[in-house]
Amino acid sequence: MFQPLVITVAPNGARRGKSDHPSLPMTPDEIAREAARCHEAGAAMIHLHVRDSTGAHAIDPDLYREAIAAVRHEAGEEMIIQVTTEAVGRFTPAEQMAAMRTLRPEAFSVAVRELIPDEATEGPAASFLAEEARRGTLVQHILYDAEDVSRFIGLVDRDVIPTSGASVLFVLGRYTRGQQSAPEDLLPMLARWTLPLPWSLCAFGRREAACATTAACLGGHARVGFENNLHRPDGALAADNAELVVGLASVAHALGIPTATADEARALFAAVRA
């Protein structure tokens, strides 16, 4: 029997706008309506980005609170809301940690290479992540290549990164124009993966669904959405994020893989592991 597949939707990201897709959600109300559609389609979690008054990526706690309230109003209380700490070259580790300490979200994602870029940042990061583990926060650590995987394992071994409430996201590719990920991009990362933590992947381009299905068949989970991909597997432009969620959920069900509810996803990500 397959474990339930946790589907996360990333509906907008930090870089795209309406010029990329007219249905890309930007405002809290747009994000909230998209979250509700995606939750109904089978997404247990939303990966939340917010924008400031100029449309630029932000990690401001007040902007997050507004968007979270809107999502809760439209999608209900069940869906996991995971906020991003993505730096996009603007925010320092100290600013990322301060935002999360102020916001105190249920879940957030953070790139290991952004939060802990060098040995000097290990101490502050360890204190911060220990606080979040004690608080019960679901922390997803973003890894971009096989070297990131090895470094993450080393940081866990040295107690810089706690495993309580922790999971990882393998990113197949980069935010570059024309990036097209492939299922085999996962293999070098999985070859180094030795920890009993939940893992997910996200992929760029039109083979997003194939990459996500591969993850599901190998015991992982998947993130889909307009942050990384705007197209259906047949190359046509997707109508909205919910269409991408429906596509993945349908393939999973056809393979005998159930999709996780939000509460099942919480139980999976919150499990305490040695």
Side-chain angles (χ1 to χ4, degrees), residues 2-9 42-45 80 82 140 166-172 186 190 193 196-203 208-224 248 252 257-262 264-270 273:
F2 288 103
Q3 70 170 338
L5 169 67
V6 178
I7 300 177
T8 301
V9 63
M45 181 161 70
I80 301 171
Q82 177 198 75
Q140 185 178 67
S167 65
V168 301
L169 177 74
F170 299 137
V171 181
L172 307 188
L186 174 63
L190 276 188
W193 183 244
L197 297 177
W199 61 269
S200 305
L201 68 69
C202 68
E208 177 188 65
C211 295
T213 303
T214 299
C217 291
L218 294 175
H221 307 280
R223 194 183 89 183
V224 298
L248 176 57
I257 303 172
T259 50
T261 66
E264 287 173 332
R266 281 187 178 90
L268 173 75
F269 292 141
R273 297 171 177 84

Side-chain angles (χ1 to χ4, degrees), residues 5-269:
L5 169 67
V6 178
I7 300 177
T8 301
V9 63
N12 51 12
R15 297 161 179 81
R16 286 182 163 142
K18 297 290 188 183
S19 62
D20 297 294
H21 195 299
S23 294
L24 190 138
M26 300 279 287
T27 68
D29 286 344
E30 289 173 342
I31 294 168
R33 289 192 292 271
E34 192 81 329
R37 287 191 290 268
C38 291
H39 186 42
E40 183 176 0
M45 181 161 70
I46 180 172
H47 176 69
L48 183 63
H49 285 257
V50 293
R51 309 295 180 91
D52 64 19
S53 59
T54 71
H57 167 70
I59 57 172
D60 181 273
D62 288 335
L63 294 176
Y64 270 136
R65 291 188 185 103
E66 181 182 5
I68 289 169
V71 171
R72 287 286 176 241
H73 181 265
E74 291 291 334
E77 295 296 320
E78 184 188 22
M79 192 178 200
I80 301 171
I81 301 175
Q82 177 198 75
V83 305
T84 183
T85 64
E86 188 172 358
V88 294
R90 294 177 53 196
F91 303 112
T92 66
E95 290 171 323
Q96 292 170 307
M97 291 186 289
M100 294 303 101
R101 282 172 166 142
T102 299
L103 181 63
R104 297 172 65 85
E106 176 182 11
F108 67 81
S109 67
V110 62
V112 172
R113 60 175 60 177
E114 289 181 355
L115 185 68
I116 318 173
D118 51 38
E119 187 175 350
T121 54
E122 289 184 9
S127 296
F128 166 68
L129 292 171
E131 291 171 17
E132 297 300 326
R134 288 192 295 270
R135 198 170 66 79
T137 310
L138 307 179
V139 180
Q140 185 178 67
H141 300 272
I142 300 175
L143 309 175
Y144 288 95
D145 54 29
E147 286 68 32
D148 271 3
V149 173
S150 294
R151 182 163 181 257
F152 176 83
I153 293 170
L155 290 168
V156 169
D157 287 344
R158 293 191 289 110
D159 295 324
V160 176
I161 295 178
T163 57
S164 179
S167 65
V168 301
L169 177 74
F170 299 137
V171 181
L172 307 188
R174 296 290 186 276
Y175 290 95
T176 56
R177 183 174 294 277
Q179 169 69 44
Q180 297 291 322
S181 302
E184 56 265 30
D185 297 339
L186 174 63
L187 300 181
M189 304 177 85
L190 276 188
R192 299 197 187 184
W193 183 244
T194 58
L195 297 176
L197 297 177
W199 61 269
S200 305
L201 68 69
C202 68
F204 296 84
R206 300 176 187 185
R207 299 189 71 188
E208 177 188 65
C211 295
T213 303
T214 299
C217 291
L218 294 175
H221 307 280
R223 194 183 89 183
V224 298
F226 283 179
E227 175 170 352
N228 300 99
N229 169 52
L230 303 172
H231 296 86
R232 302 190 321 230
D234 63 5
L237 199 67
D240 56 18
N241 284 278
E243 187 173 10
L244 300 178
V245 174
V246 167
L248 176 57
S250 298
V251 172
H253 293 159
L255 294 172
I257 303 172
T259 50
T261 66
D263 285 342
E264 287 173 332
R266 281 187 178 90
L268 173 75
F269 292 141

